[in-house]
Amino acid sequence: MDVRFVAVFIVCFLASLLGPLCGIGGGVIIKPVVDAMGVMGVGAVSFLSSVSVLVMSLSTLVQNACTRSSSIDSRSLMPIAVGSAVGGVAGKVAFNQMIAVLPNADLVGAAQAAVLIVFSVLVLIYTLNKDRIAGVELRGAAPQALAGIFAGACWSFLGIGGGPFNLAILVFFFSMESKTAAQASLFIIAFSQTASLVYTLVSGSVPDFSLIVLVGMCLMAVMGSVVGRKLSKRMDSSTIDRLYVFALLLIIAISLYNFARFAIL
């Protein structure tokens, strides 16, 4: 196995810490960083990143359930969670279509990086000004499901499994405070990533990848979720907000590098 995959495992562990801390799926870090390493194709990175995010979210949810430390009402989140699952499949279909249409993988990577930059900048602006921006609380299952469909489709298309964007959606549309929104984000991510994975398996669109790399990334995702939960207990919402802003800035920087590498270099 290429020694560079050790770096992939380290990235996966560090990114998975962000799940329990601020609801970031980790794929939003894993995908662009591993793309920048150039150790595997764009399709393989998207798939392995999505699986890692799913494992991390399920691991964290199981730990919360076993310790009865969950602060979310799963029933009230079902419309957006189910919507995100539907959107997850739609996003995967769009991604597969783009791979089939564009002449090379670099253009796919450039398109993903460009969309990720736009979303990250918009969410960063909102996060820095959210105290001055009035939220719009969604009421009713249909509007909540539509929000979930949009979110699930975007994150599945980008191969990032939710990233920091779920947190902004939950704060703006559901008036949640940061720590509660982080847990709710993982609940939603679990739905969208499960649907996306099932579609990939059923449609036979699984890319080529190393089984050892898959196992290693999944183990790192579990370890990251365990350590992240322990760190989360020591942090308040203001600390989580600062970590969230740092993660957004990191994502923007990495995505800018990837866009230049795919589209220009």
Side-chain angles (χ1 to χ4, degrees):
M1 183 178 66
D2 193 321
V3 68
R4 290 179 296 176
F5 284 116
V6 175
V8 173
F9 297 153
I10 294 172
V11 169
C12 187
F13 169 74
L14 294 175
S16 296
L17 293 173
L18 297 174
L21 288 173
C22 47
I24 295 179
V28 73
I29 301 292
I30 299 169
K31 176 68 171 62
V33 170
V34 177
D35 273 342
M37 292 180 183
V39 296
M40 64 183 92
V42 171
V45 176
S46 291
F47 177 78
L48 293 175
S49 173
S50 295
V51 173
S52 299
V53 169
L54 175 60
V55 171
M56 179 279 299
S57 61
L58 291 176
S59 173
T60 305
L61 291 172
V62 168
Q63 293 174 69
N64 288 342
C66 290
T67 58
R68 297 182 179 180
S69 57
S70 177
S71 59
I72 61 173
D73 179 4
S74 58
R75 181 176 298 179
S76 67
L77 289 172
M78 286 305 295
I80 189 172
V82 173
S84 72
V86 174
V89 173
K92 185 61 67 175
V93 171
F95 176 76
N96 291 340
Q97 288 295 317
M98 188 170 67
I99 287 181
V101 170
L102 293 180
N104 62 64
D106 283 352
L107 289 178
V108 176
Q112 287 182 313
V115 174
L116 191 52
I117 290 167
V118 172
F119 276 128
S120 298
V121 170
L122 290 175
V123 172
L124 177 61
I125 292 172
Y126 167 72
T127 301
L128 293 175
N129 297 279
K130 66 179 182 180
D131 290 339
R132 297 191 294 272
I133 300 175
V136 181
E137 188 168 353
L138 289 180
R139 297 184 181 276
Q144 292 173 2
L146 286 173
I149 290 172
F150 172 77
C154 290
W155 318 153
S156 178
F157 172 78
L158 294 173
I160 60 174
F165 312 113
N166 280 346
L167 197 66
I169 289 172
L170 290 166
V171 171
F172 182 75
F173 289 111
F174 291 82
S175 302
M176 292 185 182
E177 61 92 27
S178 298
K179 293 195 76 168
T180 301
Q183 289 191 23
S185 175
L186 294 184
F187 180 78
I188 295 167
I189 287 170
F191 270 76
S192 63
Q193 292 304 104
T194 297
S196 178
L197 178 60
V198 169
Y199 170 78
T200 300
L201 296 175
V202 171
S203 64
S205 55
V206 179
D208 292 330
F209 62 88
S210 169
L211 183 60
I212 294 176
V213 175
L214 173 64
V215 173
M217 291 180 70
C218 289
L219 288 174
M220 291 300 101
V222 173
M223 289 178 60
S225 74
V226 172
V227 176
R229 283 187 75 253
K230 292 182 179 180
L231 293 174
S232 178
K233 294 176 182 178
R234 304 177 183 179
M235 296 182 179
D236 57 19
S237 289
S238 62
T239 303
I240 289 174
D241 285 340
R242 289 194 293 271
L243 178 62
Y244 184 42
V245 169
F246 171 77
L248 285 169
L249 292 171
L250 178 62
I251 292 161
I252 292 169
I254 296 170
S255 298
L256 284 170
Y257 169 79
N258 278 333
F259 180 78
R261 186 171 69 90
F262 284 127
I264 301 172
L265 302 180

